[in-house]
Amino acid sequence: MSTLLHDLRTIVGEAHVLLAPPGDGDALAGYERDWRKRYHGRSLCVVRPGDAGEVAAVVRRCAREPGVSIVAQGGNTGLVGGGVPDASGRQVLLSTKRLRAVRRIDVDNQTLTVEAGLTLQEVQAAAAAAGLLFPLSLAAEGSCTIGGNLSTNAGGTQVLRFGNARELCLGLEAVTASGELWSDLQGLRKDNTGYDLRDLLIGSEGTLGVITAATLRLFPQPRAGVTAWASCRRLRDAVALMRRLRADFDAELVGYEAMNAASLALVERHFPALRAPLPTAAGAPGWSVLVELASAHAAPALRERAESALAAALEAGEAVDIAVAGNEQQARTLWQLREGIPLAQAAEGLNIKHDVGLPLSALADFVDAADAALEAVAPGARHITFGHLGDGNLHYNLQAPPGADAAGFLAAHEQAVNDCVYELVARFGGTFSAEHGIGRLKRGELAARKPAAAVAMMRAIKTALDPQGLFNPGVLLPD
Amino acid sequence: MSTLLHDLRTIVGEAHVLLAPPGDGDALAGYERDWRKRYHGRSLCVVRPGDAGEVAAVVRRCAREPGVSIVAQGGNTGLVGGGVPDASGRQVLLSTKRLRAVRRIDVDNQTLTVEAGLTLQEVQAAAAAAGLLFPLSLAAEGSCTIGGNLSTNAGGTQVLRFGNARELCLGLEAVTASGELWSDLQGLRKDNTGYDLRDLLIGSEGTLGVITAATLRLFPQPRAGVTAWASCRRLRDAVALMRRLRADFDAELVGYEAMNAASLALVERHFPALRAPLPTAAGAPGWSVLVELASAHAAPALRERAESALAAALEAGEAVDIAVAGNEQQARTLWQLREGIPLAQAAEGLNIKHDVGLPLSALADFVDAADAALEAVAPGARHITFGHLGDGNLHYNLQAPPGADAAGFLAAHEQAVNDCVYELVARFGGTFSAEHGIGRLKRGELAARKPAAAVAMMRAIKTALDPQGLFNPGVLLPD
């Protein structure tokens, strides 16, 4: 083992192999504990290679060490524990944070090639500096890395228009389990020469390879934007409004977020400076919708069209009230209301989270059914339901009843609530993990709910590409 | 063997197991010979299952027969020989053409679930009947099947806006090599529960599974369209014009095709009724560009914006002349000019085809370099260069010198021309198969030009998912 550490130091340099000082198990907590603090492992060491060649050398060296495996980690902002080591002390935590080069920006090709350790915000900034847009956008963008975004196929608030991380990536560079560096960074929009290895690695949560760089697809910066808020009586009205806006705006509709009344009440409670621009629809469940439009056109035309489409939605009864942001500051406030929900939930205390995806046509029925069923399973719980309605992706979360002990609520109800929610998700043709992935948290769900034929193919692929189980064992695949 | 035939007849019905009558090897030519007539195999029999369950039963039965493999075939319009049997007489040709159900159209979810044997045109029509758009569009749409489109990740003329077949598919149903039916037809826009098996099967050319159905992504029907023609002096001007239009129209720019002067001359020669709307730019290589815009807006605004953007392009020197179609008929004629090129090439005689993809930033330099280099390799050959410029995908074809014997030209020059073109493609960071795939035709190129690490991963995946080599041996992967 001391030979392993010696060799790793030789590869990456003394300063970049980190060990917990004896007696101080928490010095590496930033690496070993996940962001939600649900998992706290212990690594053999943390290794921080400085370039892709060093990553490959680290992988080759670890592969020779019996019983040692590798957990790759970017910004450590994942929500399912996929990027932290287990408790064995036999996992090398490979941090990609020193892979920080912007390798190339190609304005004519509208592509950007970056290394895995840049934060999402830095990637956005590199695109913006060239007058272009990298549209992936999510709450953790200041600290999550682009390598992590790709390993987990991150989603966020503009998937409706631009797709997940997967759709924004034209090519990868990655180290395979045999320690080879595979590179596909040409920036081609079309390349039908064999199996789609890129998409296989994307979303594989570090179990098939270590992503070291990526070539990303860029877009023109929009010239106008409109942010609007609509108050709807029922979720199905919000779905109808979405359909209207798709027909009227097509790809100019870039974001469509929905929030139930309880979500906004929680935000207003914890962030008194934030107030929803419209009252919740009276005498109805009451849903608020945040609409984001962006266009290559000049601003006045887009705003006029938005106002006219929303007026038509009012007339059709899809919305009962609307507000269009009058300036940047107002638009930002509307987004802060939406983004405040998870923060308000955290401030309110432990809660039971779900990240479900459903066909848009089944979304409202699912929520009705789940709300009703959970009254028996977790009586009095507050249903904090919000998310990326345009993608059929809701964060269907449960908060303890007002005044109840949150930890006790979680311990008492989590399993039964999950079972109930995931049963209903399956019945309505949905998924138990729309954007957060599997990690360590949802392996059981995957084993129980993914079709056996799919799990068999996944296992076969894992064994084929990583026969000794070097990459992230205990994550994604069931035992 | 007679037991195998008996069992297959039991599964699919007597009428749907086809054998060549003794002494008449050509009765099955429509199945056994590829569309370009470069490959003519001999099948053990043609089997036409009527539903996915029958496909699975056929696969299981064939798997039990030593030495027998399966070639799945849709419309048999592929260009690389990936859907026809080899000469062994030991391959069962599984035709998907009887899998013809439109299983579900979900307007709220904007999805369409169809079986593999529908033609692309039928799929487009099913979407249109619901007031929605399925945007995949290519020359063979009247006869190619959606299953084949997905197996080969087909491209076409609207990839710029909507992506390849891959991007238009939300889920598959497929039969695995173990004869299991795997289904993922829920129509979810986001589902991060494990490896991306869908994208692995898409583009795998029947070597990993038999696609029996798919759930496809639909879009709103555009409310306005503009078709325009621009005459550019040089290819790099056409690239600059494209960049301008992307910035001005973003996703409203749905198609951007380029044609060199020799391409149009060939069309005008073989289709005298068709005339390019503008003369080729004088004193320059001379490229023509076909621009297709589509918008959710009303028509007058789009046309005004198009005219103003094209006028700005004239001023900037990116184009020397422009013409905007005044009506549907004129727009159709412009597209006929573009679509006439491959037909005119066929009428002119055998030719050497390439389907190359390059970064947009390297496209013009590549064409300059290849045109120059080929003067030595195939002197006097006509360079018929055209294609999906917006995607960086050119059909870089060579026609024999005027009056020369086409077959002799092909025989004498094909290998050297291919070597020269593909060397240059690689040097400029491109691919030797942007949309047509590998099939039987380009396996050698794949072996020679794809990085060894990628080929190793592909082989490992093939062995893992199809250990006995049941599906389409001799296609895609090198021996």
Side-chain angles (χ1 to χ4, degrees):
Chain A
M1 190 56 63
S2 62
T3 322
L4 173 64
L5 291 174
H6 170 268
D7 292 349
L8 293 175
R9 287 188 179 111
T10 306
I11 294 166
V12 302
E14 192 80 28
H16 298 298
V17 177
L18 314 182
L19 296 172
D24 178 9
D26 249 19
L28 298 183
Y31 293 101
E32 293 178 340
R33 183 183 291 162
D34 79 302
W35 189 84
R36 284 179 70 191
K37 301 192 170 51
R38 290 189 73 131
Y39 297 94
H40 190 173
R42 198 165 62 83
S43 65
L44 193 155
C45 63
V46 172
V47 181
R48 307 192 304 180
D51 60 33
E54 289 184 11
V55 174
V58 167
V59 168
R60 285 193 299 268
R61 179 58 189 88
C62 289
R64 296 209 322 270
E65 194 74 18
V68 164
S69 58
I70 294 172
V71 180
Q73 185 183 91
N76 193 17
T77 60
L79 297 170
V80 290
V84 288
D86 61 25
S88 68
R90 300 285 299 169
Q91 299 196 294
V92 169
L93 195 153
L94 190 162
S95 168
T96 57
K97 284 196 135 183
R98 286 182 63 228
L99 307 175
R100 292 188 43 76
V102 174
R103 292 209 193 148
R104 183 172 186 214
I105 183 143
D106 183 340
V107 172
D108 264 335
N109 199 41
Q110 306 219 338
T111 49
L112 171 62
T113 301
V114 293
E115 294 189 346
L118 284 189
T119 66
L120 175 52
Q121 209 162 65
E122 289 167 334
V123 175
Q124 294 164 348
L132 292 166
L133 172 73
F134 182 64
L136 190 68
S137 176
L138 45 89
E141 60 197 26
S143 44
C144 64
T145 62
I146 189 67
N149 297 148
L150 290 164
S151 298
T152 58
N153 187 28
T157 53
Q158 302 202 51
V159 173
L160 179 58
R161 160 67 175 99
F162 296 103
N164 273 36
R166 179 184 303 293
E167 280 81 27
L168 297 171
C169 177
L170 291 175
L172 294 175
E173 177 191 84
V175 176
T176 69
S178 60
E180 279 178 290
L181 194 63
W182 165 65
S183 177
D184 176 31
L185 298 177
Q186 296 150 289
L188 301 175
R189 274 171 180 69
K190 289 165 80 173
D191 183 10
N192 273 347
T193 57
Y195 301 158
D196 183 3
L197 302 172
R198 175 191 69 216
D199 281 316
L200 188 60
L201 280 177
I202 293 174
S204 69
E205 303 185 1
T207 64
L208 298 179
V210 178
I211 294 172
T212 53
T215 296
L216 305 169
R217 193 192 284 265
L218 303 181
F219 294 82
Q221 291 271 14
R223 290 173 179 153
V226 166
T227 307
W229 191 274
S231 175
C232 304
R233 290 168 49 79
R234 302 165 308 166
L235 186 51
R236 66 189 73 246
D237 297 331
V239 172
L241 173 57
M242 147 94 182
R243 198 174 135 193
R244 169 188 299 279
L245 295 175
R246 287 260 305 184
D248 285 357
F249 293 92
D250 191 21
E252 292 170 331
L253 178 61
V254 298
Y256 194 83
E257 302 283 313
M259 299 146 268
N260 72 354
S263 306
L264 290 173
L266 211 59
V267 172
E268 294 183 340
R269 175 169 172 194
H270 289 281
F271 303 100
L274 290 175
R275 283 282 164 258
L278 300 172
T280 299
W287 285 79
S288 297
V289 162
L290 179 54
V291 177
E292 184 77 24
L293 302 170
S295 175
H297 308 203
L302 184 69
R303 195 183 164 93
E304 279 159 32
R305 287 170 55 231
E307 283 169 353
S308 125
L310 291 168
L314 278 178
E315 239 172 78
E318 294 152 6
V320 294
D321 207 352
I322 55 170
V324 179
N327 54 44
E328 270 288 313
Q329 177 52 43
Q330 287 178 10
R332 231 183 341 261
T333 302
L334 297 184
W335 275 102
Q336 282 168 348
L337 282 159
R338 162 64 184 83
E339 284 158 5
I341 301 171
L343 304 171
Q345 280 213 278
E348 185 77 4
L350 289 171
N351 55 80
I352 307 177
K353 291 194 198 303
H354 308 100
D355 163 43
V356 303
L358 291 123
L360 280 162
S361 46
L363 206 61
D365 289 339
F366 161 78
V367 171
D368 285 349
D371 284 356
L374 287 173
E375 272 310 312
V377 178
R382 287 168 288 173
H383 294 214
I384 309 298
T385 310
F386 64 99
H388 317 300
L389 180 61
D391 314 314
N393 177 195
L394 288 182
H395 300 304
Y396 185 88
N397 297 347
L398 264 72
Q399 201 91 33
D405 166 49
F409 170 78
L410 187 75
H413 295 293
E414 183 167 27
Q415 192 56 54
V417 165
N418 286 353
D419 289 347
C420 173
V421 170
Y422 294 144
E423 273 309 313
L424 284 167
V425 164
R427 193 185 309 160
F428 286 93
T431 176
F432 58 91
S433 189
E435 61 175 8
H436 295 168
I438 303 299
R440 297 184 186 279
L441 185 63
K442 296 186 184 170
R443 290 166 76 210
E445 298 302 336
L446 188 137
R449 301 183 187 284
K450 193 94 178 168
V455 175
M457 283 192 276
M458 286 168 52
R459 275 190 211 282
I461 291 165
K462 170 69 174 175
T463 305
L465 297 185
D466 180 15
Q468 76 181 74
L470 184 65
F471 287 147
N472 227 359
V475 164
L476 196 149
L477 284 166
D479 286 326
Chain B
M1 191 57 63
S2 63
T3 321
L4 173 64
L5 291 173
H6 170 267
D7 292 350
L8 293 175
R9 287 187 179 113
T10 307
I11 295 166
V12 301
E14 193 81 28
H16 298 297
V17 177
L18 314 183
L19 296 172
D24 178 8
D26 250 18
L28 298 183
Y31 293 101
E32 293 177 341
R33 183 184 291 162
D34 79 303
W35 189 83
R36 283 178 72 190
K37 301 193 170 48
R38 290 189 72 131
Y39 297 93
H40 190 173
R42 198 165 62 84
S43 65
L44 195 154
C45 63
V46 172
V47 181
R48 308 192 304 182
D51 61 32
E54 289 184 10
V55 174
V58 167
V59 168
R60 285 193 299 268
R61 179 58 189 88
C62 290
R64 294 208 324 269
E65 194 74 18
V68 164
S69 58
I70 293 173
V71 179
Q73 185 183 91
N76 193 16
T77 60
L79 297 170
V80 291
V84 288
D86 60 25
S88 68
R90 299 287 298 170
Q91 298 196 293
V92 170
L93 195 153
L94 191 162
S95 168
T96 57
K97 285 196 134 182
R98 286 181 65 227
L99 307 174
R100 292 189 43 77
V102 174
R103 293 210 193 147
R104 184 173 185 215
I105 183 143
D106 183 340
V107 172
D108 264 334
N109 199 40
Q110 305 219 339
T111 49
L112 171 63
T113 301
V114 293
E115 295 190 347
L118 284 189
T119 66
L120 175 51
Q121 210 162 65
E122 290 167 333
V123 175
Q124 294 164 347
L132 292 166
L133 171 73
F134 182 64
L136 190 67
S137 176
L138 45 89
E141 61 197 25
S143 44
C144 64
T145 62
I146 189 67
N149 296 149
L150 290 164
S151 298
T152 58
N153 187 29
T157 53
Q158 302 203 52
V159 174
L160 179 58
R161 160 66 175 99
F162 296 103
N164 274 35
R166 179 184 303 293
E167 280 81 26
L168 297 171
C169 177
L170 291 175
L172 293 176
E173 177 191 83
V175 176
T176 69
S178 60
E180 279 179 289
L181 193 63
W182 166 66
S183 176
D184 176 32
L185 297 178
Q186 296 151 289
L188 301 175
R189 275 172 178 67
K190 290 165 79 173
D191 183 10
N192 273 346
T193 57
Y195 300 159
D196 183 2
L197 302 173
R198 175 191 69 217
D199 282 315
L200 188 60
L201 280 177
I202 293 174
S204 68
E205 303 185 1
T207 64
L208 298 178
V210 179
I211 294 172
T212 54
T215 296
L216 305 169
R217 193 192 285 265
L218 303 181
F219 294 82
Q221 291 272 13
R223 290 173 180 153
V226 167
T227 307
W229 191 274
S231 175
C232 304
R233 290 168 51 79
R234 302 165 307 168
L235 186 52
R236 67 189 71 245
D237 297 331
V239 172
L241 173 57
M242 147 95 181
R243 197 173 137 194
R244 170 187 299 278
L245 295 176
R246 288 260 306 184
D248 284 357
F249 293 91
D250 192 22
E252 291 169 333
L253 177 62
V254 297
Y256 195 82
E257 302 284 314
M259 298 146 269
N260 71 354
S263 306
L264 289 173
L266 211 58
V267 172
E268 294 182 341
R269 175 167 172 196
H270 289 280
F271 304 101
L274 290 175
R275 284 282 163 258
L278 300 173
T280 300
W287 284 79
S288 297
V289 163
L290 179 55
V291 178
E292 184 77 24
L293 303 170
S295 174
H297 308 202
L302 184 70
R303 194 183 164 92
E304 279 160 33
R305 286 170 56 230
E307 283 169 353
S308 125
L310 291 169
L314 278 179
E315 239 172 80
E318 293 153 7
V320 294
D321 207 351
I322 56 170
V324 179
N327 54 45
E328 270 288 312
Q329 178 52 45
Q330 287 179 10
R332 232 183 340 260
T333 302
L334 298 184
W335 275 101
Q336 282 167 349
L337 281 159
R338 162 65 184 83
E339 284 157 6
I341 302 171
L343 303 171
Q345 281 213 275
E348 184 77 5
L350 289 172
N351 54 80
I352 307 176
K353 291 194 197 303
H354 308 99
D355 163 43
V356 303
L358 291 123
L360 280 161
S361 47
L363 206 61
D365 289 339
F366 161 77
V367 171
D368 286 348
D371 284 355
L374 287 173
E375 273 309 312
V377 177
R382 287 168 289 174
H383 294 214
I384 309 298
T385 310
F386 64 100
H388 316 300
L389 179 61
D391 314 314
N393 178 194
L394 288 182
H395 300 304
Y396 185 88
N397 298 347
L398 263 70
Q399 201 91 33
D405 165 50
F409 170 77
L410 188 75
H413 295 293
E414 184 168 27
Q415 192 57 55
V417 165
N418 286 354
D419 289 347
C420 173
V421 169
Y422 294 144
E423 273 309 312
L424 284 167
V425 164
R427 193 185 309 161
F428 285 94
T431 175
F432 58 91
S433 189
E435 62 175 8
H436 295 168
I438 303 299
R440 297 184 186 278
L441 185 63
K442 296 187 184 169
R443 290 166 76 209
E445 299 302 336
L446 188 136
R449 301 184 186 283
K450 192 94 179 167
V455 176
M457 283 192 276
M458 286 167 53
R459 276 190 209 282
I461 291 165
K462 169 69 174 174
T463 305
L465 297 186
D466 180 16
Q468 76 181 75
L470 184 65
F471 287 147
N472 227 358
V475 163
L476 197 147
L477 284 166
D479 285 326

